Amino acid sequence: MTTQLDVAATIREAYSGAWNHLNEMVRLIWLPGSLYLALSIAGVFVDVEEQRALAVALNLASLFLWPIIAVAWHRFILMGDAPPGRFHFAFGRREARYLVVSVFLTLLFVPGFVLGATPAFMPANMTASLLSFFGALLVMVAIYFMVRLSLLLPAVSVGDPVNPRLILERTRGNFWRLVFVFASVVLPMVLVAVVVGTLLEGGPVMSIVAVGILSLVLIFFAVVNIAVLSVAYRELIGPPGTQAPDTGDY
């Protein structure tokens, strides 16, 4: 029988855990986290059309920093792993596999986007309409599988097997539950970001204040987002180490 994720308990544990352990989790990632935030803020002021190379460089750097942050947090939440020292900055096998899985989840959307964009280069006819429809359909399918397969991210973080079949089996019947717990993070974050964003129009001083507040908000919700994934993984897949040992093969 498939386990049904307790949405309310997952959200409650994610938020309370993020708040109670925020100091320790910030300690683990303050260096890569500071760099990640700095690059994200810098990216806001980069004109993509005129400074394309710089924009690509900033995005690539952020792409490699996030796995360092996410893996450290997943391991702390699921295993209590908190390496000693003033900072933690390591990009190893786990972080590389986390990045590969993240790219894989993103690539799920490529067929739908490509098919949906094709009609823009075609005459407006029935074929173009069908391509648009099937493109949108494939995007929805990608969302469905991305939500369920997102639990691969905690798996690679703690060294459990990368087993999409197992993840799909254990998340059967939990798609909407997972959507609700993810929405409990995304929606409040977007709302706060919109409210704080209005301060950017209040002059230089208010802009600095807005960036500072937004940075703190994003850190907290990033912790909650990782916590949601970790709790869902523990409840649906099992505690770390309960699956077959990870041999490193995909």
Side-chain angles (χ1 to χ4, degrees), residues 36 49 69 87 104 145 204 207 212 233 237:
Y36 185 85
E49 294 298 326
I69 297 168
F87 63 88
F104 162 72
F145 282 104
S207 295
Y233 179 80
I237 312 303

Side-chain angles (χ1 to χ4, degrees), residues 114-132:
V114 170
L115 197 60
T118 301
F121 305 96
M122 299 173 56
N125 52 33
M126 181 62 71
T127 302
S129 298
L130 286 174
L131 287 176
S132 295

Side-chain angles (χ1 to χ4, degrees), residues 172-183:
R172 185 180 294 117
N174 282 285
F175 171 75
W176 287 111
R177 290 177 172 82
L178 289 169
V179 168
F180 287 139
V181 296
F182 294 156

Side-chain angles (χ1 to χ4, degrees), residues 9-24:
T10 300
I11 295 172
R12 184 167 55 250
E13 182 177 350
Y15 272 90
S16 63
W19 180 258
N20 294 332
H21 299 286
L22 186 61
N23 288 340
E24 180 65 11

Side-chain angles (χ1 to χ4, degrees), residues 119-198:
F121 305 96
M122 299 173 56
N125 52 33
M126 181 62 71
T127 302
S129 298
L130 286 174
L131 287 176
S132 295
F133 171 77
F134 284 113
L137 186 62
L138 285 176
V139 169
M140 289 188 287
V141 171
I143 292 172
Y144 175 76
F145 282 104
M146 186 203 70
V147 168
R148 294 177 62 187
L149 290 173
S150 62
L151 296 191
L152 286 170
L153 296 172
V156 297
S157 299
V158 299
D160 278 349
V162 180
N163 190 338
R165 179 180 297 179
L166 174 67
I167 297 293
L168 291 174
E169 287 177 357
R170 299 290 179 85
T171 57
R172 185 180 294 117
N174 282 285
F175 171 75
W176 287 111
R177 290 177 172 82
L178 289 169
V179 168
F180 287 139
V181 296
F182 294 156
S184 73
V185 182
V186 175
L187 294 180
M189 181 177 66
V190 170
L191 179 60
V192 172
V194 169
V195 173
V196 175
T198 60

Side-chain angles (χ1 to χ4, degrees), residues 81-93:
D81 185 15
R86 294 183 178 180
F87 63 88
H88 171 78
F89 196 103
F91 191 94
R93 177 171 169 272

